[in-house]
Amino acid sequence: MDRKALTIDYCEYASLEEMPERERRLMVCAMESTHRAYAPYSKFHVGAAVLLADGTMVSGSNQENVAYPSGLCAERTALFSASAQHPELAVEALAVVGYFEGSYTEASPCGACRQAMAEYETRYGNKLTIFCYLKEGRIRRIEGVESLLPFGFDADL
Ligand code: THU
């Protein structure tokens, strides 16, 4: 038996101000999107924004339903909306942030959203850069879904 280990590389910005302008605008777009969430059940508002190959940004927010599993996370709302409107444009980056009880807060994509993000890397042949808003206004930057979803499912179908 071989014992193996993975290391996950990521960076953190101390604040929005430290981010390059284009990335900062993407995170601000995600922050604005939290205010369009429909989250009457959890009261946890999530905003996401994706950056497409030509610079277009598409936002999304969580959309809940009284039958809980019928709702959708902000990340997939943004990704599916971008893909439905601009199927020809590769998705290059995704930013996500939570908003709860009057403040922006940490949000990191759930497992199903990670799998959906991986699909766009396969589809367009490029890695996605993922930005997650953290506590105290820090921002995590991750290059590639593999760091969020090691050993994720794929198949040559
Ligand atoms: N949610 C997202 O929109 N994105 C995530 O990454 C995690 C969770 C939503 C689902 C639900 O509407 C609310 O946050 C509370 O779980």
Side-chain angles (χ1 to χ4, degrees):
M1 184 189 83
D2 294 332
R3 183 170 297 278
K4 300 185 181 189
L6 289 174
T7 52
I8 296 173
D9 253 352
Y10 63 94
C11 309
E12 272 186 30
Y13 297 106
S15 67
L16 271 180
E17 289 65 44
E18 222 182 70
M19 298 177 82
E21 152 120 42
R22 214 168 65 130
E23 283 83 352
R24 181 170 61 243
R25 283 198 289 113
L26 187 69
M27 182 52 82
V28 169
C29 182
M31 291 166 91
E32 289 168 356
S33 188
T34 62
H35 305 298
R36 296 187 289 273
Y38 176 65
Y41 306 105
S42 73
K43 315 258 193 279
F44 192 82
H45 294 211
V46 184
V50 297
L51 180 66
L52 305 182
D54 70 345
T56 301
M57 287 186 223
V58 178
S59 65
S61 51
N62 54 332
Q63 302 295 319
E64 296 186 347
N65 190 278
V66 64
Y68 287 10
S70 303
L72 194 63
C73 292
E75 295 91 321
R76 275 175 290 161
T77 303
L79 279 169
F80 295 167
S81 172
S83 175
Q85 295 176 74
H86 307 283
E88 73 287 1
L89 295 175
V91 182
E92 293 189 339
L94 180 148
V96 60
V97 54
Y99 183 86
F100 185 66
E101 293 181 339
S103 316
Y104 293 108
T105 188
E106 185 159 334
S108 185
C110 77
C113 288
R114 293 175 193 207
Q115 185 69 39
M117 286 154 62
E119 186 73 23
Y120 291 93
E121 286 193 342
T122 311
R123 177 174 174 184
Y124 296 112
N126 62 275
K127 285 195 172 191
L128 234 74
T129 305
I130 300 121
F131 298 95
C132 302
Y133 192 93
L134 304 176
K135 294 206 165 65
E136 284 138 23
R138 298 180 68 80
I139 289 115
R140 181 184 296 136
R141 177 192 184 114
I142 300 155
E143 304 295 343
V145 178
E146 195 168 8
S147 294
L148 283 175
L149 188 67
F151 305 119
F153 179 77
D154 199 6
D156 289 323
L157 300 177

PDB file of all heavy atoms in Angstrom, residues 33-47 61-66 68 72 97-107:
ATOM      1  N   SER A  33     -25.333  41.076  -5.818  1.00  0.00           N
ATOM      2  CA  SER A  33     -26.289  40.022  -6.156  1.00  0.00           C
ATOM      3  C   SER A  33     -26.930  39.398  -4.912  1.00  0.00           C
ATOM      4  O   SER A  33     -28.053  38.878  -4.989  1.00  0.00           O
ATOM      5  CB  SER A  33     -25.575  38.965  -6.996  1.00  0.00           C
ATOM      6  OG  SER A  33     -26.493  38.044  -7.483  1.00  0.00           O
ATOM      7  N   THR A  34     -26.246  39.455  -3.767  1.00  0.00           N
ATOM      8  CA  THR A  34     -26.845  38.892  -2.541  1.00  0.00           C
ATOM      9  C   THR A  34     -28.199  39.542  -2.262  1.00  0.00           C
ATOM     10  O   THR A  34     -29.085  38.912  -1.688  1.00  0.00           O
ATOM     11  CB  THR A  34     -25.949  39.102  -1.284  1.00  0.00           C
ATOM     12  OG1 THR A  34     -25.777  40.491  -1.049  1.00  0.00           O
ATOM     13  CG2 THR A  34     -24.600  38.421  -1.416  1.00  0.00           C
ATOM     14  N   HIS A  35     -28.331  40.811  -2.674  1.00  0.00           N
ATOM     15  CA  HIS A  35     -29.570  41.550  -2.363  1.00  0.00           C
ATOM     16  C   HIS A  35     -30.719  41.180  -3.299  1.00  0.00           C
ATOM     17  O   HIS A  35     -31.833  41.662  -3.137  1.00  0.00           O
ATOM     18  CB  HIS A  35     -29.281  43.057  -2.361  1.00  0.00           C
ATOM     19  CG  HIS A  35     -28.149  43.395  -1.420  1.00  0.00           C
ATOM     20  ND1 HIS A  35     -28.218  43.155  -0.066  1.00  0.00           N
ATOM     21  CD2 HIS A  35     -26.897  43.865  -1.648  1.00  0.00           C
ATOM     22  CE1 HIS A  35     -27.065  43.491   0.498  1.00  0.00           C
ATOM     23  NE2 HIS A  35     -26.244  43.916  -0.436  1.00  0.00           N
ATOM     24  N   ARG A  36     -30.433  40.307  -4.260  1.00  0.00           N
ATOM     25  CA  ARG A  36     -31.505  39.800  -5.139  1.00  0.00           C
ATOM     26  C   ARG A  36     -31.803  38.333  -4.837  1.00  0.00           C
ATOM     27  O   ARG A  36     -32.513  37.666  -5.597  1.00  0.00           O
ATOM     28  CB  ARG A  36     -31.109  39.996  -6.613  1.00  0.00           C
ATOM     29  CG  ARG A  36     -30.973  41.472  -6.999  1.00  0.00           C
ATOM     30  CD  ARG A  36     -30.741  41.654  -8.490  1.00  0.00           C
ATOM     31  NE  ARG A  36     -29.430  41.227  -8.923  1.00  0.00           N
ATOM     32  CZ  ARG A  36     -28.332  41.983  -8.911  1.00  0.00           C
ATOM     33  NH1 ARG A  36     -28.404  43.251  -8.497  1.00  0.00           N
ATOM     34  NH2 ARG A  36     -27.181  41.508  -9.321  1.00  0.00           N
ATOM     35  N   ALA A  37     -31.224  37.826  -3.749  1.00  0.00           N
ATOM     36  CA  ALA A  37     -31.507  36.435  -3.366  1.00  0.00           C
ATOM     37  C   ALA A  37     -32.967  36.311  -2.946  1.00  0.00           C
ATOM     38  O   ALA A  37     -33.595  37.288  -2.503  1.00  0.00           O
ATOM     39  CB  ALA A  37     -30.602  36.024  -2.210  1.00  0.00           C
ATOM     40  N   TYR A  38     -33.496  35.106  -3.090  1.00  0.00           N
ATOM     41  CA  TYR A  38     -34.825  34.796  -2.547  1.00  0.00           C
ATOM     42  C   TYR A  38     -34.581  33.698  -1.521  1.00  0.00           C
ATOM     43  O   TYR A  38     -34.401  32.525  -1.886  1.00  0.00           O
ATOM     44  CB  TYR A  38     -35.765  34.334  -3.668  1.00  0.00           C
ATOM     45  CG  TYR A  38     -37.112  33.903  -3.154  1.00  0.00           C
ATOM     46  CD1 TYR A  38     -37.976  34.821  -2.552  1.00  0.00           C
ATOM     47  CD2 TYR A  38     -37.531  32.572  -3.265  1.00  0.00           C
ATOM     48  CE1 TYR A  38     -39.219  34.418  -2.053  1.00  0.00           C
ATOM     49  CE2 TYR A  38     -38.766  32.168  -2.771  1.00  0.00           C
ATOM     50  CZ  TYR A  38     -39.594  33.100  -2.170  1.00  0.00           C
ATOM     51  OH  TYR A  38     -40.813  32.702  -1.690  1.00  0.00           O
ATOM     52  N   ALA A  39     -34.476  34.092  -0.256  1.00  0.00           N
ATOM     53  CA  ALA A  39     -34.090  33.132   0.790  1.00  0.00           C
ATOM     54  C   ALA A  39     -34.957  33.306   2.038  1.00  0.00           C
ATOM     55  O   ALA A  39     -34.452  33.558   3.141  1.00  0.00           O
ATOM     56  CB  ALA A  39     -32.606  33.310   1.124  1.00  0.00           C
ATOM     57  N   PRO A  40     -36.299  33.193   1.869  1.00  0.00           N
ATOM     58  CA  PRO A  40     -37.175  33.418   3.012  1.00  0.00           C
ATOM     59  C   PRO A  40     -37.073  32.316   4.065  1.00  0.00           C
ATOM     60  O   PRO A  40     -37.495  32.516   5.202  1.00  0.00           O
ATOM     61  CB  PRO A  40     -38.577  33.437   2.385  1.00  0.00           C
ATOM     62  CG  PRO A  40     -38.445  32.604   1.151  1.00  0.00           C
ATOM     63  CD  PRO A  40     -37.044  32.838   0.650  1.00  0.00           C
ATOM     64  N   TYR A  41     -36.519  31.164   3.707  1.00  0.00           N
ATOM     65  CA  TYR A  41     -36.474  30.038   4.657  1.00  0.00           C
ATOM     66  C   TYR A  41     -35.189  30.035   5.460  1.00  0.00           C
ATOM     67  O   TYR A  41     -35.214  29.992   6.692  1.00  0.00           O
ATOM     68  CB  TYR A  41     -36.711  28.713   3.907  1.00  0.00           C
ATOM     69  CG  TYR A  41     -37.996  28.784   3.114  1.00  0.00           C
ATOM     70  CD1 TYR A  41     -37.988  28.942   1.735  1.00  0.00           C
ATOM     71  CD2 TYR A  41     -39.225  28.813   3.780  1.00  0.00           C
ATOM     72  CE1 TYR A  41     -39.175  29.094   1.015  1.00  0.00           C
ATOM     73  CE2 TYR A  41     -40.410  28.963   3.078  1.00  0.00           C
ATOM     74  CZ  TYR A  41     -40.382  29.105   1.702  1.00  0.00           C
ATOM     75  OH  TYR A  41     -41.550  29.271   1.014  1.00  0.00           O
ATOM     76  N   SER A  42     -34.058  30.132   4.780  1.00  0.00           N
ATOM     77  CA  SER A  42     -32.780  30.115   5.518  1.00  0.00           C
ATOM     78  C   SER A  42     -32.385  31.518   5.978  1.00  0.00           C
ATOM     79  O   SER A  42     -31.597  31.646   6.916  1.00  0.00           O
ATOM     80  CB  SER A  42     -31.661  29.564   4.631  1.00  0.00           C
ATOM     81  OG  SER A  42     -31.305  30.509   3.638  1.00  0.00           O
ATOM     82  N   LYS A  43     -32.867  32.552   5.291  1.00  0.00           N
ATOM     83  CA  LYS A  43     -32.465  33.947   5.538  1.00  0.00           C
ATOM     84  C   LYS A  43     -30.975  34.167   5.250  1.00  0.00           C
ATOM     85  O   LYS A  43     -30.410  35.189   5.609  1.00  0.00           O
ATOM     86  CB  LYS A  43     -32.773  34.405   6.980  1.00  0.00           C
ATOM     87  CG  LYS A  43     -34.143  34.010   7.481  1.00  0.00           C
ATOM     88  CD  LYS A  43     -35.091  35.178   7.423  1.00  0.00           C
ATOM     89  CE  LYS A  43     -36.375  34.939   8.191  1.00  0.00           C
ATOM     90  NZ  LYS A  43     -37.367  34.140   7.454  1.00  0.00           N
ATOM     91  N   PHE A  44     -30.350  33.178   4.655  1.00  0.00           N
ATOM     92  CA  PHE A  44     -28.934  33.295   4.297  1.00  0.00           C
ATOM     93  C   PHE A  44     -28.870  33.633   2.809  1.00  0.00           C
ATOM     94  O   PHE A  44     -29.203  32.796   1.961  1.00  0.00           O
ATOM     95  CB  PHE A  44     -28.208  31.977   4.603  1.00  0.00           C
ATOM     96  CG  PHE A  44     -26.713  32.082   4.529  1.00  0.00           C
ATOM     97  CD1 PHE A  44     -25.989  32.573   5.606  1.00  0.00           C
ATOM     98  CD2 PHE A  44     -26.023  31.704   3.383  1.00  0.00           C
ATOM     99  CE1 PHE A  44     -24.595  32.677   5.543  1.00  0.00           C
ATOM    100  CE2 PHE A  44     -24.643  31.809   3.315  1.00  0.00           C
ATOM    101  CZ  PHE A  44     -23.929  32.294   4.396  1.00  0.00           C
ATOM    102  N   HIS A  45     -28.476  34.856   2.510  1.00  0.00           N
ATOM    103  CA  HIS A  45     -28.481  35.324   1.129  1.00  0.00           C
ATOM    104  C   HIS A  45     -27.094  35.093   0.526  1.00  0.00           C
ATOM    105  O   HIS A  45     -26.094  35.487   1.125  1.00  0.00           O
ATOM    106  CB  HIS A  45     -28.827  36.806   1.066  1.00  0.00           C
ATOM    107  CG  HIS A  45     -30.225  37.098   1.507  1.00  0.00           C
ATOM    108  ND1 HIS A  45     -30.965  38.149   1.003  1.00  0.00           N
ATOM    109  CD2 HIS A  45     -31.033  36.455   2.391  1.00  0.00           C
ATOM    110  CE1 HIS A  45     -32.170  38.140   1.569  1.00  0.00           C
ATOM    111  NE2 HIS A  45     -32.234  37.129   2.418  1.00  0.00           N
ATOM    112  N   VAL A  46     -27.065  34.461  -0.635  1.00  0.00           N
ATOM    113  CA  VAL A  46     -25.777  34.191  -1.281  1.00  0.00           C
ATOM    114  C   VAL A  46     -25.781  34.860  -2.650  1.00  0.00           C
ATOM    115  O   VAL A  46     -26.774  34.816  -3.382  1.00  0.00           O
ATOM    116  CB  VAL A  46     -25.536  32.669  -1.426  1.00  0.00           C
ATOM    117  CG1 VAL A  46     -24.153  32.400  -2.011  1.00  0.00           C
ATOM    118  CG2 VAL A  46     -25.686  31.964  -0.077  1.00  0.00           C
ATOM    119  N   GLY A  47     -24.650  35.487  -2.966  1.00  0.00           N
ATOM    120  CA  GLY A  47     -24.486  36.105  -4.290  1.00  0.00           C
ATOM    121  C   GLY A  47     -23.301  35.479  -4.986  1.00  0.00           C
ATOM    122  O   GLY A  47     -22.288  35.167  -4.350  1.00  0.00           O
ATOM    123  N   SER A  61     -28.085  34.489  -7.613  1.00  0.00           N
ATOM    124  CA  SER A  61     -28.279  34.471  -6.160  1.00  0.00           C
ATOM    125  C   SER A  61     -29.084  33.226  -5.825  1.00  0.00           C
ATOM    126  O   SER A  61     -29.725  32.640  -6.713  1.00  0.00           O
ATOM    127  CB  SER A  61     -29.020  35.736  -5.716  1.00  0.00           C
ATOM    128  OG  SER A  61     -30.180  35.914  -6.498  1.00  0.00           O
ATOM    129  N   ASN A  62     -29.055  32.825  -4.556  1.00  0.00           N
ATOM    130  CA  ASN A  62     -29.808  31.613  -4.204  1.00  0.00           C
ATOM    131  C   ASN A  62     -31.303  31.869  -4.314  1.00  0.00           C
ATOM    132  O   ASN A  62     -31.799  32.950  -3.975  1.00  0.00           O
ATOM    133  CB  ASN A  62     -29.403  31.049  -2.837  1.00  0.00           C
ATOM    134  CG  ASN A  62     -29.461  32.018  -1.696  1.00  0.00           C
ATOM    135  OD1 ASN A  62     -29.315  33.216  -1.876  1.00  0.00           O
ATOM    136  ND2 ASN A  62     -29.691  31.516  -0.493  1.00  0.00           N
ATOM    137  N   GLN A  63     -31.989  30.859  -4.803  1.00  0.00           N
ATOM    138  CA  GLN A  63     -33.432  30.930  -5.059  1.00  0.00           C
ATOM    139  C   GLN A  63     -34.071  29.748  -4.347  1.00  0.00           C
ATOM    140  O   GLN A  63     -33.944  28.611  -4.798  1.00  0.00           O
ATOM    141  CB  GLN A  63     -33.703  30.869  -6.574  1.00  0.00           C
ATOM    142  CG  GLN A  63     -33.007  31.971  -7.377  1.00  0.00           C
ATOM    143  CD  GLN A  63     -33.514  33.369  -7.037  1.00  0.00           C
ATOM    144  OE1 GLN A  63     -34.731  33.559  -6.861  1.00  0.00           O
ATOM    145  NE2 GLN A  63     -32.629  34.338  -6.922  1.00  0.00           N
ATOM    146  N   GLU A  64     -34.696  30.026  -3.210  1.00  0.00           N
ATOM    147  CA  GLU A  64     -35.225  28.936  -2.379  1.00  0.00           C
ATOM    148  C   GLU A  64     -36.656  28.571  -2.764  1.00  0.00           C
ATOM    149  O   GLU A  64     -37.322  29.296  -3.508  1.00  0.00           O
ATOM    150  CB  GLU A  64     -35.116  29.335  -0.901  1.00  0.00           C
ATOM    151  CG  GLU A  64     -33.657  29.507  -0.490  1.00  0.00           C
ATOM    152  CD  GLU A  64     -33.470  29.750   1.001  1.00  0.00           C
ATOM    153  OE1 GLU A  64     -34.458  30.029   1.713  1.00  0.00           O
ATOM    154  OE2 GLU A  64     -32.309  29.661   1.449  1.00  0.00           O
ATOM    155  N   ASN A  65     -37.099  27.456  -2.218  1.00  0.00           N
ATOM    156  CA  ASN A  65     -38.444  26.959  -2.502  1.00  0.00           C
ATOM    157  C   ASN A  65     -38.986  26.314  -1.239  1.00  0.00           C
ATOM    158  O   ASN A  65     -38.219  25.731  -0.460  1.00  0.00           O
ATOM    159  CB  ASN A  65     -38.381  25.922  -3.638  1.00  0.00           C
ATOM    160  CG  ASN A  65     -39.758  25.551  -4.133  1.00  0.00           C
ATOM    161  OD1 ASN A  65     -40.436  24.716  -3.542  1.00  0.00           O
ATOM    162  ND2 ASN A  65     -40.191  26.182  -5.193  1.00  0.00           N
ATOM    163  N   VAL A  66     -40.299  26.394  -1.067  1.00  0.00           N
ATOM    164  CA  VAL A  66     -40.928  25.805   0.112  1.00  0.00           C
ATOM    165  C   VAL A  66     -40.651  24.295   0.181  1.00  0.00           C
ATOM    166  O   VAL A  66     -40.547  23.725   1.269  1.00  0.00           O
ATOM    167  CB  VAL A  66     -42.441  26.133   0.166  1.00  0.00           C
ATOM    168  CG1 VAL A  66     -43.194  25.510  -1.011  1.00  0.00           C
ATOM    169  CG2 VAL A  66     -43.048  25.721   1.489  1.00  0.00           C
ATOM    170  N   TYR A  68     -37.820  22.340  -0.044  1.00  0.00           N
ATOM    171  CA  TYR A  68     -36.417  22.770   0.039  1.00  0.00           C
ATOM    172  C   TYR A  68     -35.491  22.344  -1.104  1.00  0.00           C
ATOM    173  O   TYR A  68     -34.763  23.175  -1.629  1.00  0.00           O
ATOM    174  CB  TYR A  68     -35.798  22.347   1.381  1.00  0.00           C
ATOM    175  CG  TYR A  68     -36.281  23.153   2.577  1.00  0.00           C
ATOM    176  CD1 TYR A  68     -37.340  24.041   2.469  1.00  0.00           C
ATOM    177  CD2 TYR A  68     -35.666  23.013   3.813  1.00  0.00           C
ATOM    178  CE1 TYR A  68     -37.789  24.775   3.569  1.00  0.00           C
ATOM    179  CE2 TYR A  68     -36.097  23.737   4.914  1.00  0.00           C
ATOM    180  CZ  TYR A  68     -37.162  24.613   4.788  1.00  0.00           C
ATOM    181  OH  TYR A  68     -37.583  25.331   5.874  1.00  0.00           O
ATOM    182  N   LEU A  72     -32.222  26.554  -5.621  1.00  0.00           N
ATOM    183  CA  LEU A  72     -30.904  26.448  -6.264  1.00  0.00           C
ATOM    184  C   LEU A  72     -29.927  27.439  -5.636  1.00  0.00           C
ATOM    185  O   LEU A  72     -30.298  28.568  -5.296  1.00  0.00           O
ATOM    186  CB  LEU A  72     -31.025  26.725  -7.770  1.00  0.00           C
ATOM    187  CG  LEU A  72     -29.812  26.316  -8.617  1.00  0.00           C
ATOM    188  CD1 LEU A  72     -29.555  24.806  -8.574  1.00  0.00           C
ATOM    189  CD2 LEU A  72     -29.980  26.767 -10.062  1.00  0.00           C
ATOM    190  N   VAL A  97     -20.223  35.044  -2.260  1.00  0.00           N
ATOM    191  CA  VAL A  97     -20.248  35.737  -0.960  1.00  0.00           C
ATOM    192  C   VAL A  97     -21.613  35.518  -0.298  1.00  0.00           C
ATOM    193  O   VAL A  97     -22.624  35.379  -0.991  1.00  0.00           O
ATOM    194  CB  VAL A  97     -19.959  37.255  -1.158  1.00  0.00           C
ATOM    195  CG1 VAL A  97     -20.895  37.891  -2.162  1.00  0.00           C
ATOM    196  CG2 VAL A  97     -20.013  38.028   0.165  1.00  0.00           C
ATOM    197  N   GLY A  98     -21.624  35.465   1.018  1.00  0.00           N
ATOM    198  CA  GLY A  98     -22.875  35.353   1.759  1.00  0.00           C
ATOM    199  C   GLY A  98     -23.262  36.702   2.367  1.00  0.00           C
ATOM    200  O   GLY A  98     -22.419  37.611   2.497  1.00  0.00           O
ATOM    201  N   TYR A  99     -24.532  36.815   2.732  1.00  0.00           N
ATOM    202  CA  TYR A  99     -25.029  38.021   3.423  1.00  0.00           C
ATOM    203  C   TYR A  99     -26.047  37.533   4.442  1.00  0.00           C
ATOM    204  O   TYR A  99     -27.034  36.886   4.084  1.00  0.00           O
ATOM    205  CB  TYR A  99     -25.670  38.978   2.419  1.00  0.00           C
ATOM    206  CG  TYR A  99     -26.143  40.277   3.021  1.00  0.00           C
ATOM    207  CD1 TYR A  99     -25.284  41.358   3.163  1.00  0.00           C
ATOM    208  CD2 TYR A  99     -27.472  40.424   3.446  1.00  0.00           C
ATOM    209  CE1 TYR A  99     -25.715  42.559   3.711  1.00  0.00           C
ATOM    210  CE2 TYR A  99     -27.914  41.610   3.995  1.00  0.00           C
ATOM    211  CZ  TYR A  99     -27.040  42.680   4.119  1.00  0.00           C
ATOM    212  OH  TYR A  99     -27.471  43.858   4.658  1.00  0.00           O
ATOM    213  N   PHE A 100     -25.762  37.796   5.722  1.00  0.00           N
ATOM    214  CA  PHE A 100     -26.636  37.274   6.774  1.00  0.00           C
ATOM    215  C   PHE A 100     -26.736  38.305   7.890  1.00  0.00           C
ATOM    216  O   PHE A 100     -25.711  38.850   8.330  1.00  0.00           O
ATOM    217  CB  PHE A 100     -26.054  35.957   7.309  1.00  0.00           C
ATOM    218  CG  PHE A 100     -26.935  35.260   8.311  1.00  0.00           C
ATOM    219  CD1 PHE A 100     -28.173  34.754   7.931  1.00  0.00           C
ATOM    220  CD2 PHE A 100     -26.531  35.107   9.633  1.00  0.00           C
ATOM    221  CE1 PHE A 100     -28.999  34.109   8.846  1.00  0.00           C
ATOM    222  CE2 PHE A 100     -27.339  34.468  10.557  1.00  0.00           C
ATOM    223  CZ  PHE A 100     -28.584  33.968  10.163  1.00  0.00           C
ATOM    224  N   GLU A 101     -27.954  38.578   8.312  1.00  0.00           N
ATOM    225  CA  GLU A 101     -28.216  39.529   9.402  1.00  0.00           C
ATOM    226  C   GLU A 101     -27.456  40.839   9.220  1.00  0.00           C
ATOM    227  O   GLU A 101     -26.808  41.347  10.142  1.00  0.00           O
ATOM    228  CB  GLU A 101     -27.884  38.875  10.752  1.00  0.00           C
ATOM    229  CG  GLU A 101     -28.858  37.719  11.048  1.00  0.00           C
ATOM    230  CD  GLU A 101     -28.626  37.030  12.389  1.00  0.00           C
ATOM    231  OE1 GLU A 101     -27.503  37.147  12.928  1.00  0.00           O
ATOM    232  OE2 GLU A 101     -29.578  36.368  12.868  1.00  0.00           O
ATOM    233  N   GLY A 102     -27.539  41.370   8.006  1.00  0.00           N
ATOM    234  CA  GLY A 102     -27.018  42.718   7.764  1.00  0.00           C
ATOM    235  C   GLY A 102     -25.546  42.833   7.417  1.00  0.00           C
ATOM    236  O   GLY A 102     -25.057  43.946   7.228  1.00  0.00           O
ATOM    237  N   SER A 103     -24.836  41.719   7.318  1.00  0.00           N
ATOM    238  CA  SER A 103     -23.407  41.817   6.958  1.00  0.00           C
ATOM    239  C   SER A 103     -23.029  40.773   5.922  1.00  0.00           C
ATOM    240  O   SER A 103     -23.570  39.655   5.922  1.00  0.00           O
ATOM    241  CB  SER A 103     -22.494  41.561   8.158  1.00  0.00           C
ATOM    242  OG  SER A 103     -22.933  42.210   9.281  1.00  0.00           O
ATOM    243  N   TYR A 104     -22.038  41.144   5.136  1.00  0.00           N
ATOM    244  CA  TYR A 104     -21.449  40.159   4.214  1.00  0.00           C
ATOM    245  C   TYR A 104     -20.690  39.135   5.030  1.00  0.00           C
ATOM    246  O   TYR A 104     -20.064  39.471   6.049  1.00  0.00           O
ATOM    247  CB  TYR A 104     -20.519  40.851   3.217  1.00  0.00           C
ATOM    248  CG  TYR A 104     -21.279  41.746   2.284  1.00  0.00           C
ATOM    249  CD1 TYR A 104     -21.204  43.125   2.397  1.00  0.00           C
ATOM    250  CD2 TYR A 104     -22.102  41.196   1.306  1.00  0.00           C
ATOM    251  CE1 TYR A 104     -21.934  43.955   1.554  1.00  0.00           C
ATOM    252  CE2 TYR A 104     -22.847  42.006   0.461  1.00  0.00           C
ATOM    253  CZ  TYR A 104     -22.756  43.381   0.589  1.00  0.00           C
ATOM    254  OH  TYR A 104     -23.497  44.183  -0.240  1.00  0.00           O
ATOM    255  N   THR A 105     -20.743  37.903   4.593  1.00  0.00           N
ATOM    256  CA  THR A 105     -20.088  36.844   5.350  1.00  0.00           C
ATOM    257  C   THR A 105     -19.558  35.754   4.414  1.00  0.00           C
ATOM    258  O   THR A 105     -19.807  35.773   3.209  1.00  0.00           O
ATOM    259  CB  THR A 105     -21.052  36.275   6.420  1.00  0.00           C
ATOM    260  OG1 THR A 105     -20.345  35.385   7.273  1.00  0.00           O
ATOM    261  CG2 THR A 105     -22.220  35.521   5.781  1.00  0.00           C
ATOM    262  N   GLU A 106     -18.863  34.835   5.032  1.00  0.00           N
ATOM    263  CA  GLU A 106     -18.183  33.770   4.291  1.00  0.00           C
ATOM    264  C   GLU A 106     -19.159  32.860   3.543  1.00  0.00           C
ATOM    265  O   GLU A 106     -20.205  32.491   4.072  1.00  0.00           O
ATOM    266  CB  GLU A 106     -17.406  32.952   5.327  1.00  0.00           C
ATOM    267  CG  GLU A 106     -16.547  31.897   4.745  1.00  0.00           C
ATOM    268  CD  GLU A 106     -15.437  31.463   5.713  1.00  0.00           C
ATOM    269  OE1 GLU A 106     -15.023  32.259   6.588  1.00  0.00           O
ATOM    270  OE2 GLU A 106     -14.992  30.334   5.567  1.00  0.00           O
ATOM    271  N   ALA A 107     -18.789  32.482   2.342  1.00  0.00           N
ATOM    272  CA  ALA A 107     -19.527  31.435   1.622  1.00  0.00           C
ATOM    273  C   ALA A 107     -18.540  30.678   0.755  1.00  0.00           C
ATOM    274  O   ALA A 107     -17.677  31.278   0.114  1.00  0.00           O
ATOM    275  CB  ALA A 107     -20.634  32.033   0.760  1.00  0.00           C
TER     276      ALA A 107
END
